[in-house]
Amino acid sequence: MPDSRQFTSLEKKIIHELQQDLPVVDRPFAVVAEKLKVSETELLEKIRELIADGTIRRFGATLRHQRSGYDANAMVVWEVESERLDKVGAIFASFREVSHCYQRPALADWPYRLFTMIHGRSPQECRQIAKRMAETAGVESYSLLFTMEELKKTTMVYFSEVG
Amino acid sequence: MKERNETNAQLDDMDRTILNQIQSHFPVETRPYLVLAEKLGCSELEVIRRVQNLKDREIIRRIGANCNSRKLGYTSTLCAARVPAHLMKRFVAEVNSYPGVTHNYRREHNYNVWFTLIAPSEQDIDRILDGISEVTGVSEIISLPAERLFKIQVDFEV
């Protein structure tokens, strides 16, 4: 596993604070800086660094529903031979209806190695998207796991010990 | 579901432009809303008013950082559990009580509950899952950590 590094106490405090919700005021970073007892300039520089090195993957607004108008989504899991994972993963990633695509391990009763989240306007459309993906990539065994109920959706709070 | 469509219908072009800008390109500047205002050709106050309104309507859930857990030295995994109906309520309450569980869904499958778990180490993950099994009596929980990321789309056109 690559590239986790040591973070300074200030960096941890900044990361922890930015997991919360930035106030909607003309100088939001000044409010955060004051709380952390650093200058606004230093805070802005640190945030830009953390974005540049990929520690912060995205900085901005998280919407309640990530895809407006796309009511149905399904996790689709795919049984793919090890030697074809690279190719099939790349094909699936190229579909605009796919928001996430991961490779995961196979277990005794779990043969599916590729996981995709697909978004459509209806369950029927999700099935059609999955069928198209299966045909394009030449995968025969797959399963759609529709969301029945959202039980929790929240933001991880990192470094809570310094907050 | 219907309610959401109505909410979206109430967004005007300016709201949409703002949402599309601030999902990934929230200006990391002293006066971020002034930077946006200059791009959009309106006043800073107008942008602030609209963003506050979008938060009040809960279209914006939060403004902040989304971090790469691995870069921070944390470990994450996707877990699936086979939960019999009579244990469902207790299982969900127990799983959701962990701050490292950020997403949890009931799905149509033999493995009917799927949740993400973030923790400082793999040992912590194992310990948490053993603890959940012990407390709830649900023994069939599998952990499927990502081996490779092909795609993660972080923002969506509104």
Side-chain angles (χ1 to χ4, degrees):
Chain A
M1 288 287 171
D3 56 30
S4 86
R5 62 172 171 94
Q6 289 302 309
F7 291 90
T8 64
S9 162
L10 173 63
E11 284 172 328
K12 288 184 181 183
K13 282 182 190 161
I14 291 173
I15 291 162
H16 178 76
E17 192 58 35
L18 296 178
Q19 299 301 124
Q20 324 290 325
D21 195 3
L22 207 65
V24 185
V25 294
D26 59 347
R27 287 177 63 188
F29 296 106
V31 176
V32 174
E34 192 182 1
K35 202 166 164 186
L36 299 179
K37 300 185 175 64
V38 290
S39 73
E40 186 185 14
T41 312
E42 189 181 358
L43 175 66
L44 289 168
E45 275 170 16
K46 279 285 170 201
I47 296 173
R48 290 186 196 119
E49 273 174 40
L50 291 166
I51 293 172
D53 76 8
T55 302
I56 294 176
R57 186 177 267 153
R58 179 173 72 80
F59 188 88
T62 299
L63 307 192
R64 185 176 44 141
H65 297 296
Q66 291 203 299
R67 286 204 167 187
S68 334
Y70 289 77
D71 284 344
N73 64 70
M75 185 172 81
V76 189
V77 295
W78 309 83
E79 189 173 347
V80 180
E81 312 86 293
S82 302
E83 56 279 13
R84 293 195 68 227
L85 286 166
D86 284 7
K87 194 174 175 202
V88 175
I91 293 172
F92 287 168
S94 73
F95 276 75
R96 57 173 292 282
E97 297 91 341
V98 171
S99 63
H100 297 69
C101 182
Y102 287 94
Q103 176 187 315
R104 299 185 185 278
L107 301 178
D109 68 340
W110 186 262
Y112 306 104
R113 300 283 310 270
L114 289 181
F115 284 62
T116 54
M117 279 305 304
I118 65 169
H119 304 261
R121 285 176 199 85
S122 65
Q124 172 63 11
E125 194 180 73
C126 289
R127 287 191 195 92
Q128 287 163 357
I129 295 163
K131 186 156 178 271
R132 205 148 35 80
M133 290 166 66
E135 286 166 1
T136 309
V139 179
E140 284 172 10
S141 170
Y142 64 97
S143 181
L144 279 80
L145 282 69
F146 283 102
T147 308
M148 310 292 288
E149 188 184 356
E150 183 182 292
L151 304 167
K152 186 177 185 183
K153 190 173 187 180
T154 183
T155 304
M156 180 62 183
V157 177
Y158 298 99
F159 302 131
S160 45
E161 72 276 10
V162 299
Chain B
M1 292 292 156
K2 205 170 172 194
E3 186 188 342
R4 181 195 321 176
N5 291 332
E6 282 162 12
T7 309
N8 286 328
Q10 289 160 11
L11 295 174
D12 66 17
D13 285 349
M14 181 77 93
D15 288 335
R16 287 174 203 279
T17 309
I18 290 172
L19 288 174
N20 287 332
Q21 282 281 327
I22 67 173
Q23 285 185 76
S24 285
H25 301 103
F26 189 92
V28 181
E29 304 286 346
T30 302
R31 291 173 71 177
Y33 298 107
L34 181 62
V35 175
L36 286 167
E38 282 166 357
K39 268 191 196 170
L40 300 173
C42 64
S43 73
E44 182 184 29
L45 196 64
E46 169 80 3
V47 180
I48 290 175
R49 198 185 57 76
R50 281 176 178 267
V51 169
Q52 187 57 57
N53 182 260
L54 290 164
K55 284 186 79 170
D56 292 345
R57 290 158 68 192
E58 295 181 342
I59 290 167
I60 295 175
R61 209 150 54 88
R62 184 177 78 91
I63 299 174
N66 287 276
C67 293
N68 180 337
S69 59
R70 216 157 71 181
K71 287 248 183 193
L72 296 177
Y74 283 70
T75 302
S76 68
T77 189
L78 175 68
C79 301
R82 292 186 196 230
V83 185
H86 70 283
L87 294 178
M88 182 61 80
K89 206 172 162 191
R90 183 158 181 207
F91 185 80
V92 170
E94 178 64 19
V95 167
N96 285 359
S97 74
Y98 287 90
V101 173
T102 56
H103 295 67
N104 189 4
Y105 298 95
R106 202 157 59 76
R107 297 193 183 280
E108 206 177 8
H109 193 272
N110 287 334
Y111 282 104
N112 52 349
V113 177
W114 290 76
F115 58 94
T116 56
L117 176 59
I118 303 174
S121 71
E122 282 177 37
Q123 289 83 343
D124 291 309
I125 300 254
D126 293 343
R127 204 163 32 78
I128 289 169
L129 294 181
D130 287 347
I132 291 172
S133 284
E134 204 170 304
V135 170
T136 62
V138 173
S139 58
E140 292 179 283
I141 309 178
I142 55 174
S143 169
L144 301 163
E147 297 171 332
R148 187 164 165 192
L149 168 64
F150 287 100
K151 183 177 192 180
I152 179 167
Q153 189 183 342
V154 294
D155 57 359
F156 301 92
E157 198 161 319
V158 177

